[in-house]
Amino acid sequence: MNTKTIIVANRLPIEFKISSNTIEIKPSVGGLATGLNTVHKQGKSLWVGWSGLAEEQLNDVHKEKIRELASQAKCVTVSLKEKEIEEFYFGFSNKALWPLFHYFLEFTTYEPEQWETYVKVNEQYADAVLQHAADGDKIWIHDYQLLLLPKMLRDRRPSLSIGFFLHIPFPAFEIFRTCPWREELLQGMLGADLIGFHTYDYVQHFLNSVRRILGLTVKFNEIMQHNRTIKADSFPMGIDYNNFYNTAQLHKHRNNREVSEIMSKLNEHIINYPDSKLILSIDRMDYTKGIPNRIRAFEYFLEKYPQYLGKVRLMMLAVPSRSNVPQYRKLKKDTDELVGRINGKFATIDWTPIWYFYRSMPFDDLIDLYSFSQIALITPLRDGMNLVAKEFIATRTKSDGVLILSEMAGAASEMHEALLINPNNADQFAAALHQALEMSPEEQKTRILALQKRLSRYTVDKWALDFIKSLNETCQTTTEHSISKLLDKLIMNKMLTEFKTAKNKLFLLDYDGTLVNFRGNPENASPDIGLYDLLDNINKNTNTEIVIISGRGRDSIEKWFGHKNYTLITDHGIWIRRKDKEWLQLEDPKTEWKEIIRPIMESFVDRTPGAFVEEKKYSLAWHYRKADPDMAEIRMRELKILLTGFVSENGLSVLDGSMVLEVKNNIVNKGRAVLNLISGTQADFIFAAGDDHTDEFMFEVMPNNAYTVKIGRSESIALYYVNDIADIRSLLANFELKQISSASQ
Ligand code: GDG
């Protein structure tokens, strides 16, 4: 199949500039654009993102030109108005999400209006993607500005393969839970098939939030949502290693004429101070990067080790960033003052401790800065990955130099040979600088070579290809396991036609997880008015029988549906009450075993706050939906092992349901009950829907012409699936008498 990959990011890999009333274009700098180049350039691909210019700035000629240039670069632009840029980008993205995800709660502000614009702009991205996406296309979404996009796409086009990658940290649950829109953000991300992070820790934080906030089941790194499986994994982003290494090599052999301005300055420095060492730091001017901390720690170092006065220089490049956001403006002011104060404090006639540049530089100058410095001081307070650390290592063509790296950068989890420090510990900071300055060339070489070996292997190309490969595998596994097909419009129409001509119609509907959502306490999952209306309206069709078939005990089903003219099957198939008839017991399983199992389950309740035992007439269920997910997981495993030994010898089985372990008699299942029912009816239209493995018994015994529907996309023998409860309900609405009659008019 000729499918394509659509990359979606806030920005495009090209930058547009209005210049003398025409539009100019240049490639964007930065890791993401380079990193995705391989995916974007090879094969069929499209990149969707904002042009970088506000709609108000553009006239029709500009717009047309942008469209044309973008299309030549295989890009599609999302157009944003000034207000949207302010509220979506500078607002919710950078005043709420950015500080929250980097643990800067004190900078996090939540404005409902900004949130609304964030939702709206994500919708605009969804519109742009869907205009160009065909069935089977792969969509790769990037970063915190687009957290809601995966779900928006999934809802509107379920067949897409969707990958999402977060470039910043995912914070610990205790931090993330403070966000007023935490559920929406998680649900948004879960629209993807594969969710990637830089490190294993971020994956764990994310999974933890998913379990605790959404109450979903997580098995290893897979999340079960309405039986859809979503995978979360770590993909540490690399760099274009050869580009950095080779350019650094080339610069070594340049003659003087080609030497850049910065390099001439650096050359002067080495002539004037042959023994002094350059310490480099490069970051965007961002409070997460720990710039003031670094300057203060450098001051502390100079005080503690005065022998280095005049012998070292901190060369600090801070690239302007988000200067519309107040904290960034304050940071710039604080940094200027700090640099001024420290330079004033230590400077001599011919030496200043800090060279400070507040601007961005061309790539070639960057390479000179990297290769000319002996030490890189990369000490963010929090950083998703940090590519600068990797780029510094790649330019060490002479295998010398030392990297001092903050433990709080994602890169630290794979760059063990760097000197890792806690950026808040000034003593450790100073000691590491001292160690770096005194490190023998042999030790430098050993460390650099080990780091280079890893970086040259896991490059940014490899990262991108690995992610895409994993996305393909994730989607393939889901498709292979789930034989079910999405129940689309075509099948819906076919079903309706058959329904209209059928003489006897039967609807077999599971209750929890199919018609209503799970609740913490099963008693609270009573039917809503909308559900009653829906079922009643279907039931009004002639010769139509509605069967509620549930694992629940007879009491609750009778309480909720006893007054309705439906057939009820309860306790996994022990009891049946046909339409207009009395309750009839289909099976009479033994229950003495409950006296043994109950105390075991109760002892596990005592040790697991939030868990409880549900006593059903013929089964016992240990629920743990409300318990702490980590603890519940451990206890559930222990309990399952204990129960398994007992049940196999006693004709019982343990059902591992959605946040519940249920022990019941082996001979009882929905399949037997349904078989009993359909053998006595002449139904020529059968529709059966269910969400978990207890419903598989029902699907198993269905005749070939029945429509079997699974809620959620996961392994099942049902012929079709729908995504969730909302979908099955709107599908069932097509069978309401009023719909049927109006359609036939
Ligand atoms: C986010 C996450 C994560 C910097 N100054 C100049 C310049 N750069 C280039 C560097 C590097 C990139 O920009 C900066 O990347 P970082 O990773 O250090 O930081 P963020 O911009 O905060 O990026 C981060 C990253 O996403 C990728 O997932 O690592 O944690 O925060 O490539 O070389 N390039 C040029 N001139 C400059 O002045 N040409």
Side-chain angles (χ1 to χ4, degrees), residues 61-62 86 119 135 152 159 172 200 216 230 253 377 382 417-419 495 497 573 609 612 617 646 660 716 723:
V61 179
H62 291 146
E86 190 50 44
V119 177
D135 276 353
M152 290 173 174
S159 66
Y200 174 77
L216 294 179
I230 300 129
H253 306 298
L377 196 52
R382 198 67 67 166
E417 295 82 1
L419 299 184
M495 220 160 44
T497 315
F612 64 93
K617 195 149 186 211
F646 177 82
V660 58
S716 170
N723 284 309

Side-chain angles (χ1 to χ4, degrees), residues 156-285:
R156 289 164 65 181
R157 193 80 64 80
S159 66
L160 293 172
S161 319
I162 305 174
F164 179 86
F165 190 84
L166 186 70
H167 289 263
I168 63 174
F170 195 93
F173 161 69
E174 286 295 347
I175 297 287
F176 184 73
R177 73 190 303 198
T178 60
C179 178
W181 297 283
R182 58 198 184 183
E183 283 91 357
E184 288 88 338
L185 294 173
L186 291 176
Q187 294 286 10
M189 293 171 80
L190 290 180
D193 296 291
L194 173 67
I195 304 174
F197 300 88
H198 282 305
T199 73
Y200 174 77
D201 281 351
Y202 306 156
V203 176
Q204 293 311 312
H205 291 163
F206 172 70
L207 293 175
N208 210 7
S209 280
V210 165
R211 281 189 310 163
R212 284 162 180 261
I213 294 169
L214 300 181
L216 294 179
T217 306
V218 173
K219 289 189 181 150
F220 301 104
N221 60 344
E222 291 186 341
I223 302 148
M224 316 295 151
Q225 189 194 36
H226 304 312
N227 296 340
R228 234 184 98 228
T229 306
I230 300 129
K231 191 172 160 194
D233 211 344
S234 66
F235 301 86
M237 187 173 175
I239 55 163
D240 185 357
Y241 183 86
N242 286 341
N243 191 22
F244 282 89
Y245 187 88
N246 294 340
T247 316
Q249 277 287 18
L250 266 178
H251 281 209
K252 275 202 299 202
H253 306 298
R254 288 198 308 191
N255 61 39
N256 278 342
R257 229 161 32 87
E258 291 167 317
V259 166
S260 66
E261 182 208 338
I262 191 105
M263 189 63 189
S264 320
K265 201 149 189 271
L266 293 169
N267 278 335
E268 251 172 59
H269 163 88
I270 198 114
I271 293 163
N272 294 338
Y273 311 97
D275 298 330
S276 80
K277 290 199 169 163
L278 266 189
I279 302 162
L280 176 70
S281 82
I282 298 182
D283 331 75
R284 270 186 311 99
M285 181 61 97

Side-chain angles (χ1 to χ4, degrees), residues 299-318:
E299 175 187 20
Y300 180 69
F301 165 79
L302 291 175
E303 278 165 354
K304 196 166 175 189
Y305 300 97
Q307 66 270 33
Y308 290 108
L309 288 170
K311 298 270 169 36
V312 293
R313 171 168 278 150
L314 175 60
M315 172 112 143
M316 216 175 69
L317 174 63

Side-chain angles (χ1 to χ4, degrees), residues 578-637:
R578 289 301 294 266
K579 211 170 159 171
D580 303 325
K581 301 243 168 65
E582 293 301 309
W583 283 100
L584 180 76
Q585 189 164 2
L586 293 174
E587 315 273 1
D588 187 15
K590 292 194 172 57
T591 55
E592 296 82 7
W593 55 268
K594 283 169 79 180
E595 302 314 314
I596 299 165
I597 299 290
R598 190 184 306 103
I600 300 177
M601 285 189 170
E602 276 166 356
S603 75
F604 274 74
V605 166
D606 295 341
R607 295 167 55 219
T608 319
F612 64 93
V613 176
E614 187 189 2
E615 175 94 35
K616 300 187 192 178
K617 195 149 186 211
Y618 298 98
S619 70
L620 283 174
W622 189 79
H623 290 267
Y624 56 94
R625 188 174 297 275
K626 291 286 246 183
D628 176 285
D630 287 326
M631 185 195 278
E633 182 79 20
I634 298 169
R635 297 279 192 265
M636 183 276 282
R637 281 177 207 277

Side-chain angles (χ1 to χ4, degrees), residues 29-31 98 102 143 165 167-168 198 237 244 282 284 289 317 319 359-363 366 370 383-388 391:
V29 283
W98 178 270
H102 286 88
D143 231 359
F165 190 84
H167 289 263
I168 63 174
H198 282 305
M237 187 173 175
F244 282 89
I282 298 182
R284 270 186 311 99
K289 304 287 181 181
L317 174 63
V319 182
R359 58 178 133 123
S360 69
M361 292 199 178
F363 179 72
L366 204 69
Y370 280 140
D383 210 338
M385 171 54 76
N386 196 300
L387 300 178
V388 171
E391 292 167 2

